[in-house]
Amino acid sequence: VIELPGIPFVDLAAHHAPIREELDRAIDAVIDASQFVRGPAVAEFESAFAAYCQSENCVGVGNGTDALELAIDALGLPRGAEVITTPTTFVATAEAIVRTGFRPRLVDVDPDTWQLDPRALRGGLGSDVGAVIAVHLYGTPAPMVEIDRVLEGSGVACIEDAAQAHGAAYAGRRVGSLGRVAAFSFYPGKNLGAFGDAGAVVTADAELAERVRRLGDHGRAGRHRHEVVGRNSRLDTMQAAVLLVKLARLDEANARRRAIAARYRSGLDDVPEVDLPVEDQDATSVHHLFAVGCDVRDALSEHLRGEGIATGMHYPVPVHLQPAFRDLGYSRGDFPHAERIADRTLSLPMYPELPDGAVERVCDTIRKYFGAH
Ligand SMILES: Cc1ncc(COP(=O)(O)O)c(C=O)c1O
């Protein structure tokens, strides 16, 4: 019996190998200059990333959760305001709302696209709502044009949770330029990943960007002057230097992710037991994750593991059913679409270096499992 090599869920070592020397040089330069906080690479990355997002301003921060918190905080919502988001996201989205002193109001996702449902958003709007966080789930943009239409004239600000979607676009515009403000994560496994925790806030609004910068830098407004009670959440120079090297290759990596997604789609097309989120015509996904829905998700995942294929789940417990958010008073049955997705979602291996042959093997293994040929 020939043992096939395993297929990992992501492979960061494979991503770094071809750019290793460039990364080493960038890191060496930071060590040589020894300006580890607010060094020149930070401003350089901020302006490059703002331009990449087709926006005006970028503020590097400590991580994606901080980016969300600082964005919410900088909006200056009234005390007691509610912030709408969906239960189908990583907990950080809801966590940031609670940590900034506001209350998450959850609305269900669209059962076909798995994204924030603009109709549910319309139903969720009320006088206490100050903002909505639209999550670009799995790297696919939320339906931003419809969301804008729903929010028009309401005074409700749209925050993009773009943690999974660097480079994705909706109706020809990049995420980061679609809402009032956007939060990005550069967690190592993201499409654009640092060598540790890192994040950024992107906005066309220069004043808002300045408030974010101030809040993340101890409220500093000049030498020895602190105007507001801030906190410490800054992008390290070292991370900025690494991100600059990787940003130059992001489009190429995202294009490869799209090619892999297309291959998965055609390979799984005639397997009725497996369904995929429907792609919105206006959305250009960067496929941070490739998730499928399946009634026998756990059994399939176990079978794939036995065949040496790693999988993930994003996310098997929706936000409203997490113990941490018990106080919000939701229970099972409140968001049937989100709950069905959580029960059935399975993420297949997805990273730019994943060879075509491995994608075929994953598809073949799934097809054989369900008796399709
Ligand atoms: C949708 C979403 N929002 C927020 C975050 C938080 O980012 P970080 O882990 O950098 O704090 C993540 C990633 O972890 C995420 O996937």
Side-chain angles (χ1 to χ4, degrees):
V1 181
I2 301 164
E3 188 76 20
L4 290 168
I7 302 176
F9 187 63
V10 289
D11 189 348
L12 291 180
H15 191 61
H16 298 142
I19 53 172
R20 179 57 188 265
E21 275 178 32
E22 213 179 321
L23 288 164
D24 284 344
R25 273 200 302 278
I27 291 168
D28 282 348
V30 175
I31 298 171
D32 288 343
S34 286
Q35 201 180 335
F36 297 111
V37 176
R38 301 204 289 176
V42 176
E44 201 185 323
F45 172 74
E46 288 175 341
S47 72
F49 194 64
Y52 182 83
C53 296
Q54 302 173 335
S55 186
E56 310 300 322
N57 309 281
C58 167
V59 181
V61 301
N63 56 67
T65 310
D66 283 1
L68 283 166
E69 286 188 26
L70 290 162
I72 297 168
D73 211 357
L75 285 174
L77 303 178
R79 203 182 262 276
E82 294 181 324
V83 178
I84 293 181
T85 195
T86 66
T88 305
T89 183
F90 181 55
V91 285
T93 317
E95 201 175 67
I97 299 169
V98 176
R99 283 273 151 211
T100 44
F102 300 104
R103 188 181 165 83
R105 179 193 276 249
L106 301 178
V107 300
D108 211 350
V109 290
D110 181 301
D112 297 326
T113 63
W114 305 13
Q115 303 282 349
L116 174 67
D117 183 347
R119 288 160 301 184
L121 172 62
R122 191 183 295 281
L125 285 179
S127 57
D128 288 338
V129 174
V132 52
I133 305 183
V135 181
H136 303 313
L137 190 70
Y138 306 148
T140 303
M144 296 300 289
V145 172
E146 273 186 84
I147 290 171
D148 274 352
R149 206 170 293 143
V150 171
L151 296 183
E152 211 178 311
S154 67
V156 172
C158 183
I159 302 168
E160 297 175 69
D161 183 339
Q164 306 185 352
H166 324 71
Y170 196 83
R173 286 205 61 82
R174 283 245 163 102
V175 308
S177 71
L178 298 166
R180 176 92 200 284
V181 57
F184 287 87
S185 164
F186 305 122
Y187 179 82
K190 300 294 196 229
N191 290 37
L192 181 60
F195 283 179
D197 281 310
V201 176
V202 171
T203 176
D205 181 337
E207 277 175 37
L208 188 61
E210 191 46 41
R211 281 202 294 281
V212 168
R213 191 177 297 286
R214 220 165 258 190
L215 285 167
D217 188 27
H218 304 290
R220 199 188 314 269
R223 216 166 134 76
H224 306 303
R225 186 175 167 81
H226 301 265
E227 279 199 343
V228 291
V229 177
R231 48 184 293 199
N232 181 359
S233 183
R234 299 173 297 219
L235 178 66
D236 291 339
T237 311
M238 190 83 87
Q239 302 301 355
V242 167
L243 290 168
L244 272 167
V245 172
K246 292 196 174 187
L247 180 60
R249 282 152 188 92
L250 180 56
D251 282 342
E252 195 187 323
N254 282 342
R256 175 65 195 148
R257 285 175 185 268
R258 277 195 287 277
I260 292 168
R263 205 164 263 274
Y264 268 135
R265 276 188 181 277
S266 62
L268 298 171
D269 204 32
D270 59 349
V271 185
E273 291 87 353
V274 165
D275 49 76
L276 306 171
V278 172
E279 283 189 355
D280 179 333
Q281 292 290 324
D282 287 324
T284 306
S285 179
V286 290
H287 299 289
H288 171 57
L289 295 163
F290 191 85
V292 303
C294 176
D295 284 340
V296 291
R297 184 262 316 270
D298 293 345
L300 175 59
S301 146
E302 199 48 36
H303 177 73
L304 290 169
R305 200 175 63 84
E307 297 290 321
I309 298 166
T311 58
M313 290 176 201
H314 302 84
Y315 299 88
V317 183
V319 169
H320 68 291
L321 300 181
Q322 287 288 357
F325 296 96
R326 204 184 286 123
D327 288 356
L328 298 180
Y330 294 114
S331 49
R332 184 167 274 279
D334 285 345
F335 304 106
H337 304 317
E339 289 166 23
R340 180 173 153 84
I341 290 165
D343 289 343
R344 300 175 77 250
T345 190
L346 182 70
S347 303
L348 304 180
M350 170 56 87
Y351 51 92
E353 295 71 27
L354 185 65
D356 286 348
V359 180
E360 301 305 330
R361 198 174 119 206
V362 175
C363 292
D364 285 350
T365 309
I366 294 174
R367 293 157 64 85
K368 282 210 191 91
Y369 182 73
F370 290 113
H373 301 286

